[in-house]
Amino acid sequence: MKESTFDLEAAAGTLRTWLGEADRVLITAGAGLSAAAGYDYGDEDRFRELFPALYRLGLRSRYLVGVPLPPELWWGYWAVHIDDIRFSPEPNPLYQQLSSLVGDKDHWVMTSNVDALFARNGFAPDRIFTPQGDYGRYQCTTPCTPTTFDSRPLVAQLLAAYDPATGAVTGPMPRCPNCDGEVEINVRIGPEFVDTPYLPAGRRLQDWLGTAADTRLLIMEFGAGFNTPGVIRWPGEHLTRQIPHARLVRVNPTHPEAPDDLADRTLSVPAGADHLLDALTVPHPAPDPAVAP
């Protein structure tokens, strides 16, 4: 199924109808939503602009998990990356479009993204579950404590010691405020991930879903592929199966497919979230009655 032959206007109309009929909305999102909003980790031009030293070393994207960089380059990367992704003060039009679309519907958000773009663009922070973490926190690598720490002062400190020409930070590397050990950004990479900050939201979401069995729940999934399907994609399918009146809208330009058993309750949209939201929110002029059809 190709976007060029897909009737996006018809899909937008179906989604508009389903949204109007829904009692509740669960928005689920993966990396594809933030990529559509302008934060594409695979954008080579943006990578070269932000990380010229790393680009000269042969790196081409922000997917650096497992890349053996020395600490001074590793923390230089994190400082610039988090400042750009997490602490940029500008509002994001795509997320604001999505917030306006949902409006005052009873809704929750579950996202694997760690950029806080939902909370920064109109969604209630106490109704957002981010099981993969948040760039706004850092933790002890061990970890010595379930406490996490605000990364904004750390990022500011690192940026002050950052040399764009070399890509490195100078001076002492970040240390744990509790044990003085090594630290890392509080995102789910391995078993040492501290999930304490996110568990309360997860429990509230489960409670909300626990009372949704007899409701018309609309799950709107954006940009959740197969990098971590167990976080967003498969749970959405499971919920659709478990809740008799649930519907699933899957928006994904490369992996829009839905399981056969959910075909009658799934709208598969092989397009980017930006294209669908534009089709939903950009007003279309009424036909001119003076012009013959």
Side-chain angles (χ1 to χ4, degrees):
M1 192 185 309
K2 297 180 180 179
E3 185 177 341
S4 59
T5 61
F6 181 74
D7 191 338
L8 191 60
E9 294 293 334
T14 299
L15 175 52
R16 194 177 290 110
T17 298
W18 286 11
L19 186 60
E21 294 172 348
D23 301 313
R24 298 183 180 186
V25 176
L26 174 62
I27 299 170
T28 64
L33 180 60
S34 286
Y39 293 99
D40 184 354
Y41 282 30
D43 184 338
E44 185 174 328
D45 291 337
R46 182 63 173 160
F47 184 86
R48 180 173 53 218
E49 176 186 350
L50 289 175
F51 310 102
L54 296 183
Y55 190 87
R56 290 194 298 272
L57 291 176
L59 300 175
R60 294 296 182 265
S61 83
R62 304 196 202 202
Y63 294 107
L64 296 185
V65 173
V67 176
L69 291 175
E72 60 273 14
L73 288 179
W74 188 238
W75 283 110
Y77 161 76
W78 274 121
V80 174
H81 173 63
I82 294 175
D83 186 58
D84 176 58
I85 294 282
R86 175 65 173 82
F87 296 131
S88 172
E90 293 83 10
N92 187 274
L94 184 67
Y95 278 82
Q96 291 186 330
Q97 277 182 298
L98 184 54
S99 177
S100 297
L101 178 67
V102 177
D104 58 2
K105 284 276 186 182
D106 183 7
H107 66 274
W108 260 85
V109 171
M110 180 172 71
T111 178
S112 60
N113 298 335
V114 294
D115 48 30
L117 279 166
F118 279 103
R120 292 154 52 195
N121 286 280
F123 289 88
D126 63 348
R127 285 204 161 205
I128 302 171
F129 179 39
T130 59
Q132 300 298 89
D134 183 351
Y135 283 151
R137 313 298 301 171
Y138 72 101
Q139 65 167 82
C140 178
T141 298
T142 301
C144 69
T145 173
T147 300
T148 61
F149 311 98
D150 182 0
S151 69
R152 189 184 292 270
L154 175 64
V155 168
Q157 175 187 341
L158 291 169
L159 288 175
Y162 174 71
D163 182 355
T166 65
V169 294
T170 57
M173 295 298 104
R175 311 298 294 183
C176 174
N178 186 59
C179 73
D180 201 40
E182 295 183 356
V183 296
E184 60 190 41
I185 301 303
N186 181 222
V187 297
R188 190 185 298 274
I189 296 174
E192 70 282 353
F193 172 65
V194 175
D195 61 0
T196 306
Y198 317 105
L199 296 179
R203 287 191 288 266
R204 293 196 305 273
L205 173 57
Q206 285 299 318
D207 291 343
W208 184 77
L209 290 170
T211 61
D214 297 322
T215 68
R216 291 169 297 184
L217 175 68
L218 178 62
I219 302 169
M220 296 197 299
E221 177 194 289
F222 296 94
F226 288 98
N227 286 337
T228 54
V231 180
I232 298 297
R233 191 177 177 99
W234 293 341
E237 293 173 2
H238 176 72
L239 282 171
T240 307
R241 290 189 181 98
Q242 294 300 309
I243 300 176
H245 302 294
R247 287 165 164 170
L248 171 65
V249 177
R250 171 162 285 161
V251 184
N252 194 308
T254 55
H255 298 291
E257 306 83 8
D260 291 342
D261 64 306
L262 298 178
D264 61 338
R265 290 192 285 142
T266 299
L267 174 64
S268 295
V269 182
D274 50 341
H275 296 157
L276 178 62
L277 290 174
D278 281 346
L280 280 162
T281 58
V282 173
H284 298 283
D288 187 345
V291 178

